[in-house]
Amino acid sequence: MPRWEPDAVGRLQAAALDLFAEQGFERTTIEEISRRAGLSKRSFFNHFGDKREVLFGPVSEMQRETVTREIAACPGTLPPLEAVVRGLQAAADAVFEARRDAAARRRDIVEANPELRERELRKQAALTDAIAAALRARGVDPDTALLSAHAGMVVHRTAMRRWTRSTDGRSLRDHLSDALNALRATAAQTAGQGDADEAS
């Protein structure tokens, strides 16, 4: 029977973030992460396939599952983009809010490494596809579902950037609402400019 390891995932993630920040992602080994966490290398591989998954694994899966579950539970009358943002807010509360510091540190590590930035884009694309599929399951037509999913991800990225960089203590849920309102305002201004151009 394996030895019980309380919060092994959290310990490994904390150790990895510390080491990535101290000496860089490329120079950090799995052995070092395991040792810093007080666990064995075998324990590491019980939870992660490689050191990149420390940054992209469990949290990404939890986010996807929470977002799609909330979209499915939304009232049928709710517009698609609002359903997406409601799903993102549910994930903000359940997955991210208690991890603000870790999310900010993760952002800095990912942005400093081209390989990690590419993987981040793939993870975001996978989440976009999952959101679009959840909308289609609600009866939203494929084009609207895909457009709403992409718009939702714009809202998500904007909100995450503001939340991880802000010092005002406002929640990610609030930043998501702000980003959605900013997107709506931008769309309204663009539409208004288009009407003015046609009239001139």
Side-chain angles (χ1 to χ4, degrees):
M1 292 290 291
R3 182 171 62 85
W4 181 58
E5 296 164 346
D7 193 25
V9 169
R11 289 160 60 189
L12 288 164
Q13 288 176 321
L17 286 172
D18 286 343
L19 287 165
F20 293 161
E22 291 168 13
Q23 60 193 34
F25 174 81
E26 299 88 346
R27 292 188 294 277
T28 299
T29 67
I30 290 170
E31 289 85 353
E32 290 173 317
I33 295 170
S34 303
R35 187 165 55 249
R36 176 72 67 92
L39 299 168
S40 67
K41 185 176 176 181
R42 179 177 179 181
S43 296
F44 180 96
F45 285 112
N46 284 339
H47 300 286
F48 303 104
D50 57 42
K51 66 180 182 179
R52 293 172 299 180
E53 283 305 302
V54 176
L55 298 169
F56 296 101
V59 170
S60 296
E61 291 305 311
M62 290 166 57
Q63 180 189 25
R64 178 183 59 78
E65 291 170 3
T66 304
V67 170
T68 56
R69 183 172 60 246
E70 184 67 21
I71 290 172
C74 284
T77 55
L78 198 67
L81 181 55
E82 291 190 26
V84 173
V85 173
R86 187 171 293 188
L88 293 168
Q89 288 178 320
D93 295 341
V95 180
F96 293 109
E97 196 58 46
R99 296 180 169 93
R100 183 195 292 259
D101 180 62
R105 297 173 70 197
R106 177 190 178 279
R107 179 206 66 215
D108 292 341
I109 292 163
V110 170
E111 288 182 352
N113 186 290
E115 177 191 356
L116 296 178
R117 289 200 302 270
E118 182 179 345
R119 194 175 183 102
E120 177 86 331
L121 290 173
R122 290 200 300 270
K123 287 288 187 179
Q124 290 180 0
L127 178 57
T128 302
D129 290 343
I131 290 171
L135 290 173
R136 291 196 301 271
R138 285 167 53 88
V140 178
D141 72 86
D143 288 344
T144 301
L146 186 60
L147 182 60
S148 298
H150 279 286
M153 291 304 295
V154 170
V155 168
H156 173 66
R157 287 192 296 271
T158 301
M160 284 292 288
R161 184 171 59 251
R162 291 176 176 174
W163 178 65
T164 55
R165 292 175 177 171
S166 69
T167 58
D168 59 12
R170 296 180 68 238
S171 68
L172 178 54
R173 171 178 283 273
D174 289 341
H175 282 287
L176 284 161
S177 294
D178 290 349
L180 176 60
N181 290 335
L183 179 62
R184 286 172 172 158
T186 299
Q189 290 171 358
T190 302
Q193 184 60 51
D195 292 341
D197 290 343
E198 288 181 5
S200 61

